[in-house]
Amino acid sequence: MRCKKKKWKEFESECTAYLIGKYGPFFELKGESDSTVSDILVNGGAVWESFYIEIKMSDSQSGQFVLKPDFEHKKFRYSVKNRTPENYYSHRIMEFMNERFEVFSDSGTKGNNIDISKDIMYGWILSHYKEMNVRFFITKDSNRFLIFPIQSFEKYFDVSATYRVKKSGSSHLTASGKEDFIVALDRVGIKYQFKGLDVIADDDLDGMKVCGERYNYLLKEDNLQYKVKRLSNTRNLNVIFSLYLKKYNEVQRNKDLREFETAIGVKASDY
């Protein structure tokens, strides 16, 4: 069985190409599948301080952190493996969930909605992206791109939060895992060769997932060959934030676009 290729990768490339075509060669796609780095680096050189633009599809996730249920004390604990430090907003979410421990500690893959004030959800999301030096977001409404500063985030996106089980983590393919990976490739009929633990193939395999007996695997293009990531079977309980593009004000959209063009010192008509 061949797993579906991610649409978000194509959307990231589309957004980056749009910005370069409209404003010039100041934009470099960086983050991709690395959640510790934002999506587009805006390189100001000696003209302005560099910053990032976060790409969001109109319906997408927007950050997460792991909370582990402590059944003895009936409280949730902030995992030491989280990449983002505990802050005011995550603490408020933990307090909310602790008061409803029996409900949330029984969460599965479907999960339970966290019906806390949206101000807390927005606060966590914006705090998360400010730490990553994100100053603007880009999304798309039908056939039109929207660019807006981080402080206008609430004017474009609605937000929700869920506590649910989610697989996490990945690692590079090892020699001991190669046999299971071969099973995964053979299942989908891919013609390939190995170069060490990398794969060479005539087909476009970038972003493809294949499923073995023990693990699933992700292939990523790197210099005309493919690096292989083994996807973890570890299941953690995560607080996951989701976004939904909402109706926005045209006057606000134009104002936010002007703010972006001022930040980079370029208007579309100048390039």
Side-chain angles (χ1 to χ4, degrees), residues 119-153:
D119 288 343
I120 300 300
M121 301 183 205
Y122 282 124
W124 189 92
I125 291 170
L126 297 186
S127 174
H128 171 67
Y129 287 118
K130 284 177 181 178
E131 288 182 358
M132 298 168 69
N133 195 24
V134 172
R135 287 181 55 189
F136 290 87
F137 286 81
I138 183 169
T139 187
K140 194 174 185 182
D141 179 19
S142 298
N143 294 319
R144 181 167 67 172
F145 287 95
L146 306 173
I147 307 172
F148 53 89
I150 192 168
Q151 63 269 21
S152 294
F153 186 83

Side-chain angles (χ1 to χ4, degrees), residues 5-155:
K5 192 171 182 179
K6 294 181 178 179
K7 292 182 179 179
W8 59 260
K9 186 173 179 11
E10 297 173 6
F11 188 64
E12 287 184 341
S13 298
E14 183 183 1
C15 289
T16 308
Y18 167 78
L19 289 168
I20 292 172
K22 189 168 184 179
Y23 295 107
F26 314 113
F27 308 94
E28 181 182 356
L29 184 59
K30 300 290 287 188
E32 296 187 311
S33 59
D34 184 355
S35 61
T36 64
V37 179
S38 188
D39 297 316
I40 299 176
L41 174 64
V42 186
N43 191 348
V47 181
W48 71 80
E49 185 178 351
S50 298
F51 59 87
Y52 283 90
I53 300 172
E54 181 73 11
I55 300 169
K56 288 298 172 191
M57 299 181 75
S58 59
D59 185 350
S60 61
Q61 290 185 8
S62 186
Q64 62 188 32
F65 59 89
V66 177
L67 292 183
K68 295 187 174 182
D70 178 346
F71 290 97
E72 180 180 354
H73 299 95
K74 295 188 181 301
K75 289 185 176 181
F76 290 94
R77 306 294 184 186
Y78 197 80
S79 174
V80 296
K81 295 182 179 180
N82 284 318
R83 292 176 176 176
T84 55
E86 185 179 352
N87 58 28
Y88 168 80
Y89 303 104
S90 56
H91 184 70
R92 287 287 303 275
I93 291 171
M94 289 169 63
E95 287 182 335
F96 179 88
M97 292 174 60
N98 286 340
E99 293 172 359
R100 301 157 180 83
F101 182 83
E102 297 299 334
V103 173
F104 285 108
S105 62
D106 193 37
S107 300
T109 54
K110 184 177 180 181
N112 285 295
N113 292 330
I114 304 173
D115 295 321
I116 198 171
S117 166
K118 290 191 177 184
D119 288 343
I120 300 300
M121 301 183 205
Y122 282 124
W124 189 92
I125 291 170
L126 297 186
S127 174
H128 171 67
Y129 287 118
K130 284 177 181 178
E131 288 182 358
M132 298 168 69
N133 195 24
V134 172
R135 287 181 55 189
F136 290 87
F137 286 81
I138 183 169
T139 187
K140 194 174 185 182
D141 179 19
S142 298
N143 294 319
R144 181 167 67 172
F145 287 95
L146 306 173
I147 307 172
F148 53 89
I150 192 168
Q151 63 269 21
S152 294
F153 186 83
E154 297 179 41
K155 301 181 187 299

